[in-house]
Amino acid sequence: MKLRFAVLAGSMLAAVQPQMVFAQSTPAGGASAGIGDIVVTARRTEESAQTVPVAVTGYNSEQLEALDIKGFGDIGKTVPNLDVQRQFGSASAPQYYLRGVSTGTLKFEADAGIGLYIDGVYLGRPAGTAFDLADVERVEVLRGPQGTLFGRNSTGGAINFITARPTGEFGVKMDGTIGNYDRRKGSITVNLPALGPISARVSYLHDENRGYVRNLTPGRTFHFAEPFGTIKSAKTFGAENTDAVAAAVHIDGGALQVDYKFDYTDKVSTQLAQQLLGYDPTYLPGVGDPPFYTAAPSIYVPPSSKRQKAVALDFTTPSHLKIQGHSLTMALDVNDAITLKSITGFRKMDEFVGGNDIDGGAYIVGGLPFTNISSVQDRHQKQFTQELQVLGKTGNWDWVLGAFYFRETGRDNNPVFIGTLFPTHLPEIIPSTGPGTGNTLNAFGVPSDYLAGADASIRNKSMAAYAHLGYKAEHFELAGGIRYTKDKRREVLRAAGLIPFAAPPVTANASFDHWDFDATATYIVNRNVRGYLRFATGYLSGGVMGGNLFKPETVKSYEAGVKADLLDNKLRINAAYFISRRKNVQTLGFNAASGTFLFSSPYGRENGFEIELTAKPVEGLTLNTSYGYLHQKLANDPVNGPVNSLAPKNTLSLGAQYDSPAFANGSYVTFRVDGFYKDKRLSDPIRNAATLDMTTLPSRFDVNARLSLVDLPIGGAKAKVSAWVQNLTNNQKLEFARNLSTNVIGTFQVPRTFGVDVGFAF
């Protein structure tokens, strides 16, 4: 702990060293003449977001800081038709909804419909994206299918985080945070002086809080056989303790530019409290009657639709997530017209989810710990990606040729205990794979701890080739692309459902291929106003889950948009209308009888509207708003019946920032307030009239605010001091809910948090 907070203490000491030179500056008063450009790479090359004929939202480093965006889980604040939720099952598995397409599955067998990237490297597992990046420079969110240039599994869109490149000049930036719920955060970034053509940058981040809901049964210990080992129930829920490191090396070889980037995150955290909302009366009536659960010395918290300050979860433990990533990007300018580019990536995820207690109580039956439904999980994944590009420009023509390769291996061991007594007189608990195996005792007649769980390994491969061609004239642009993708997938089931006690282990293989296309026509009124029409297709790989083959999901999308900078660059309007038609829509559900299973709706239909406005009506004042409307209809699954749409119909954000004139010492004050709205929506894909009210999430409007004193000179440094609050009105509404057949559980949003940031830059 002392070492971690030396980062914050060091910033105080460094502030009194007058010989240091401030390496980064902000215009006096923080105001600029107009609305600045945001750089994006939507067409695989850096350009202004206003010139790209696609719906894209970009953030620079200043906006990321103002909105407190530090990772993928924070990105759904101001992007229209994007919603990000913290779900149950893992503290590191956010659920994303972008234009109605969802992702967030914990299963390695199924992919995500939203492409997630760090520095252009595709992330195969969205379930491991709730981690902090130590050194984010900008973020871009592309809405709608990106079937050719980004390609892989981007039926809903793509989110790309770009970390910072070294500056080549010596500079230090340090930040510290103190807040309620024992929030403590410290970070440091050091840019080293260039050594010839080589420059380097390193960052470190520590972030922790003690959690928001107390556990009535902390410290209960269960000794499992490997790979699970000993687990101990958490003290609180929502707690996080993260250490993250980022390093970047840049080699400026003139025509050859080389960038190596590394990120590492070590995160120990607990889920938001899984609260018992009620019981499903259609499943085993009488099982949930309070007399059964309140047999002493059980601890039972009655079902409630209001957020509780304490719950009894004797089996929910801290999870431990370790993520590392390496990327090597090389760009060679062959001549003025042609550039060769290579992007190589390796990423690794190790997550011990630990215990997941989802029955809403801590029960003792006959002197032994008992669970109605709970699980334990151990997950590991590795991936390698290689992308090669040839980028060219000749006169009014520009083009991209590319090839992509992806290989992924992983193992997920996840027994689910239903009506199980755990032995306490034995040295370790061994999950049962069938009658006569293991040493857990079942009270409901369920023959296996893997009936609703699985011990599975996967190996996925994907190869693609693509081409994109564009023609630019004074008043119009035409562009089109094509991509061919080939996927090969393998699942090895050691235990799942009737395996192995009534069926042998299963190895299943599947392969798919698909052609994708896009075409765009842009009319350029003048350099500040343009409109576009876009057609694009997308493809989400099929696969095998539980030995069952499922088909790929495909989409055709039609989009019309306008981008305009008006009133001498004081008003920006970006708007888009879209229509999407999907086939074989993939949706994951869960019940106690069969565990995780896949819905396959024959079709899904989405249409909607998005608008983003930014205005600078007077000097120092910036106003922004975004609105998204989505109408979605999913066809019934022929086997499992109706499928619910889970994305909110309306999303809205409102923001205002005022930067005061500079004081005599060059410092200035900035104040920002943001409001975020999303309306009532469903949270369970399985339609069940008996529990519909419990799994309907209410509409909510959250408010964040930040007041900062910027560029305060202290010695040879400049300081920034900020007071901030999130969820100002202390909303405590239901954020996620699921009917798990036996009972209905839910998690509630994080309550009001507030604190102070202090930063120094040299």
Side-chain angles (χ1 to χ4, degrees):
M1 187 65 70
K2 291 182 179 179
L3 179 61
R4 290 169 175 169
F5 290 109
V7 172
L8 181 57
S11 66
M12 303 290 189
L13 294 174
V16 300
Q17 302 298 319
Q19 70 272 20
M20 307 293 273
V21 178
F22 179 54
Q24 300 178 4
S25 62
T26 304
S32 61
I35 301 169
D37 281 337
I38 299 294
V39 175
V40 298
T41 56
R43 292 190 286 193
R44 291 296 193 173
T45 185
E46 292 187 356
E47 54 189 328
S48 169
Q50 291 304 103
T51 66
V52 179
V54 65
V56 56
T57 300
Y59 302 94
N60 58 28
S61 58
E62 291 79 11
Q63 293 168 324
L64 294 173
E65 181 179 0
L67 293 168
D68 196 31
I69 295 173
K70 57 185 180 295
F72 285 95
D74 304 316
I75 199 63
K77 294 181 177 179
T78 66
V79 180
N81 281 324
L82 173 62
D83 183 31
V84 182
Q85 303 174 1
R86 293 178 64 170
Q87 62 173 324
F88 88 99
S90 169
S92 302
Q95 184 86 26
Y96 302 85
Y97 298 94
L98 183 55
R99 287 189 174 180
V101 177
S102 67
T103 183
T105 172
L106 297 176
K107 302 294 289 185
F108 288 162
E109 292 92 333
D111 286 340
I114 303 169
L116 305 175
Y117 295 81
I118 296 178
D119 295 319
V121 174
Y122 173 75
L123 305 185
R125 291 298 115 203
T129 58
F131 61 92
D132 293 342
L133 290 168
D135 202 2
V136 182
E137 181 179 73
R138 68 179 194 271
V139 176
E140 55 196 45
V141 181
L142 290 77
R143 303 189 296 279
Q146 309 298 316
T148 58
L149 289 177
F150 282 87
R152 179 169 172 75
N153 297 334
S154 60
T155 52
I159 303 174
N160 191 14
F161 273 65
I162 297 94
T163 59
R165 172 186 278 187
T167 65
E169 299 178 359
F170 181 76
V172 178
K173 182 179 179 181
M174 307 185 75
D175 296 280
T177 297
I178 297 176
N180 62 335
Y181 295 102
D182 291 338
R183 173 77 183 279
R184 300 291 186 270
K185 178 183 176 182
S187 66
I188 181 171
T189 297
V190 179
N191 271 293
L192 300 175
L195 182 62
I198 302 174
S199 55
R201 176 185 183 109
V202 63
S203 300
Y204 167 74
L205 166 73
H206 175 76
D207 196 355
E208 66 175 70
N209 70 74
R210 63 174 165 82
Y212 313 107
V213 175
R214 183 168 54 91
N215 192 2
L216 296 172
T217 55
R220 288 198 175 177
T221 302
F222 299 84
H223 301 287
F224 278 88
E226 293 298 331
F228 308 111
T230 298
I231 65 173
K232 183 180 294 187
S233 58
K235 295 180 180 179
T236 60
F237 304 108
E240 294 187 9
N241 192 323
T242 295
D243 291 287
V245 176
V249 176
H250 176 67
I251 301 176
D252 184 354
L256 177 64
Q257 302 289 311
V258 180
D259 285 282
Y260 167 74
K261 292 184 177 180
F262 166 78
D263 66 87
Y264 176 79
T265 298
D266 188 320
K267 175 181 177 181
V268 177
S269 56
T270 54
Q271 304 176 47
L272 295 178
Q274 301 139 289
Q275 189 172 310
L276 181 62
L277 303 178
Y279 303 106
D280 182 353
T282 65
Y283 183 85
L284 295 181
V287 169
D289 293 344
F292 176 80
Y293 284 127
T294 54
S298 300
I299 297 178
Y300 172 77
V301 178
S304 175
S305 60
K306 295 184 179 180
R307 179 180 180 272
Q308 303 296 305
K309 294 183 178 180
V311 296
L313 299 173
D314 65 339
F315 202 72
T316 294
T317 70
S319 66
H320 192 178
L321 173 69
K322 291 184 179 181
I323 288 181
Q324 63 171 287
H326 306 260
S327 68
L328 179 65
T329 302
M330 298 183 288
L332 174 65
D333 292 330
V334 178
N335 52 44
D336 292 340
I338 297 178
T339 298
L340 304 180
K341 191 172 184 179
S342 168
I343 305 173
T344 306
F346 172 79
R347 300 197 64 84
K348 180 182 179 183
M349 179 185 77
D350 297 292
E351 183 183 21
F352 180 59
V353 178
N356 183 22
D357 191 344
I358 49 183
D359 57 17
Y363 314 124
I364 302 294
V365 176
L368 296 178
F370 170 81
T371 180
N372 185 6
I373 178 170
S374 63
S375 68
V376 65
Q377 188 171 29
D378 182 62
R379 301 153 42 79
H380 305 273
Q381 181 257 3
K382 295 180 181 179
Q383 67 169 71
F384 171 80
T385 58
Q386 176 63 58
E387 189 160 5
L388 300 174
Q389 298 173 354
V390 183
L391 299 93
K393 182 174 179 61
T394 304
N396 291 345
W397 297 90
D398 58 69
W399 46 272
V400 179
L401 298 175
F404 174 80
Y405 174 77
F406 169 83
R407 187 181 190 274
E408 171 191 33
T409 59
R411 179 170 181 177
D412 185 359
N413 194 341
N414 180 209
V416 176
F417 306 103
I418 300 174
T420 301
L421 293 162
F422 295 114
T424 57
H425 58 285
L426 299 175
E428 61 182 14
I429 300 169
I430 303 173
S432 169
T433 57
T437 65
N439 56 25
T440 59
L441 303 175
N442 183 262
F444 292 161
V446 179
S448 169
D449 292 332
Y450 286 93
L451 184 71
D455 179 6
S457 295
I458 59 95
R459 187 186 70 193
N460 299 325
K461 292 182 180 181
S462 181
M463 295 172 286
Y466 58 91
H468 199 268
L469 178 66
Y471 177 82
K472 298 181 179 180
E474 182 179 359
H475 287 292
F476 71 91
E477 295 182 6
L478 299 175
I482 186 171
R483 185 184 188 105
Y484 174 76
T485 303
K486 177 73 173 180
D487 285 306
K488 294 182 178 180
R489 308 179 71 88
R490 169 175 290 184
E491 179 193 53
V492 178
L493 281 179
R494 296 173 181 82
L498 300 179
I499 299 170
F501 71 90
V506 173
T507 297
N509 296 283
S511 63
F512 311 92
D513 65 344
H514 196 262
W515 289 92
D516 283 304
F517 309 89
D518 69 54
T520 306
T522 305
Y523 177 65
I524 305 171
V525 180
N526 54 51
R527 67 184 185 90
N528 293 321
V529 180
R530 61 183 61 207
Y532 66 89
L533 297 173
R534 182 172 185 263
F535 168 76
T537 69
Y539 159 75
L540 174 62
S541 176
V544 182
M545 182 181 296
N548 299 313
L549 180 74
F550 60 92
K551 297 178 181 179
E553 176 183 316
T554 59
V555 62
K556 293 180 180 179
S557 173
Y558 308 85
E559 182 175 317
V562 61
K563 298 189 175 187
D565 287 340
L566 307 174
L567 304 179
D568 195 23
N569 206 30
K570 298 296 179 63
L571 174 65
R572 174 169 294 168
I573 302 175
N574 292 343
Y577 176 79
F578 63 91
I579 298 173
S580 295
R581 296 293 179 260
R582 289 191 285 163
K583 292 183 178 180
N584 302 319
V585 178
Q586 300 175 15
T587 302
L588 291 183
F590 178 90
N591 61 40
S594 56
T596 300
F597 62 94
L598 190 134
F599 288 92
S600 184
S601 302
Y603 67 85
R605 296 174 179 172
E606 294 90 16
N607 63 277
F609 175 76
E610 299 161 347
I611 186 168
E612 297 175 288
L613 301 176
T614 304
K616 284 196 170 185
V618 297
E619 185 176 354
L621 178 63
T622 303
L623 305 174
N624 60 272
T625 183
S626 69
Y627 170 72
Y629 169 79
L630 174 71
H631 176 74
Q632 182 176 47
K633 177 178 176 55
L634 300 177
N636 294 346
D637 183 302
V639 177
N640 299 296
V643 183
N644 289 330
S645 168
L646 307 184
K649 180 174 289 187
N650 296 282
T651 57
L652 172 71
S653 72
L654 300 168
Q657 180 169 321
Y658 175 70
D659 300 312
S660 75
F663 303 123
N665 62 1
S667 65
Y668 63 96
V669 171
T670 179
F671 174 71
R672 182 175 182 90
V673 60
D674 292 280
F676 314 104
Y677 171 82
K678 49 188 172 184
D679 62 9
K680 182 172 67 173
R681 59 217 180 276
L682 300 177
S683 187
D684 195 324
I686 305 174
R687 196 165 300 175
N688 187 327
T691 59
L692 181 63
D693 289 342
M694 285 184 281
T695 57
T696 299
L697 308 181
S699 62
R700 55 190 260 197
F701 185 78
D702 300 325
V703 179
N704 297 346
R706 177 179 289 266
L707 177 65
S708 303
L709 178 60
V710 185
D711 284 356
L712 179 66
I714 300 179
K718 289 190 177 181
K720 180 176 182 179
V721 181
S722 303
W724 54 269
V725 58
Q726 295 192 346
N727 190 8
L728 177 65
T729 58
N730 200 27
N731 285 339
Q732 299 184 18
K733 295 187 177 182
L734 188 66
E735 183 171 34
F736 186 88
R738 282 291 162 90
N739 177 2
L740 300 173
S741 298
T742 55
N743 55 343
V744 182
I745 60 97
T747 60
F748 290 75
Q749 68 183 107
V750 173
R752 177 171 52 227
T753 57
F754 53 85
V756 175
D757 297 344
V758 180
F760 298 88
F762 306 88

